[in-house]
Amino acid sequence: MIDSQLLLADLKKQLKLLTADLRVRAEGRSLPWAQQLRVQHSEAMAAGRTAMPWTAFRDGEVDQAAVAWLIAGAFLRFC
């Protein structure tokens, strides 16, 4: 039986770690993902789709990526 409260607490801890790691990686210039994020931000700024500074844009993308990783991992674990 799965203890959902314990699972949620563990996933919250993992989310903090994963978010911090992805934020550092997003600042690296050598990773393709980081380069792609910068291009997306530049294109969105040029097209007028965002007025967010880089750090706010990056944090939003990092948060989405971290949650997606956790959800995918949990899904695969329970399959």
Side-chain angles (χ1 to χ4, degrees):
M1 188 74 162
I2 297 168
D3 183 345
S4 61
Q5 294 301 320
L6 184 59
L7 176 62
L8 180 61
D10 287 344
L11 288 175
K12 284 181 179 181
K13 291 176 193 173
Q14 288 301 314
L15 181 60
K16 286 182 184 181
L17 293 172
L18 186 54
T19 301
D21 182 58
L22 287 174
R23 190 171 291 122
V24 169
R25 290 175 185 266
E27 290 300 324
R29 302 278 184 181
S30 62
L31 295 174
W33 180 68
Q35 293 170 356
Q36 185 179 18
L37 274 181
R38 290 218 181 252
V39 169
Q40 287 175 359
H41 179 253
S42 297
E43 290 174 351
M45 291 285 284
R49 292 190 318 262
T50 190
M52 287 191 286
W54 161 247
T55 54
F57 182 85
R58 176 206 62 205
D59 289 348
E61 296 297 313
V62 162
D63 289 344
Q64 287 184 28
V67 170
W69 271 94
L70 284 180
I71 290 171
F75 177 76
L76 289 173
R77 167 64 177 95
F78 290 106
C79 282

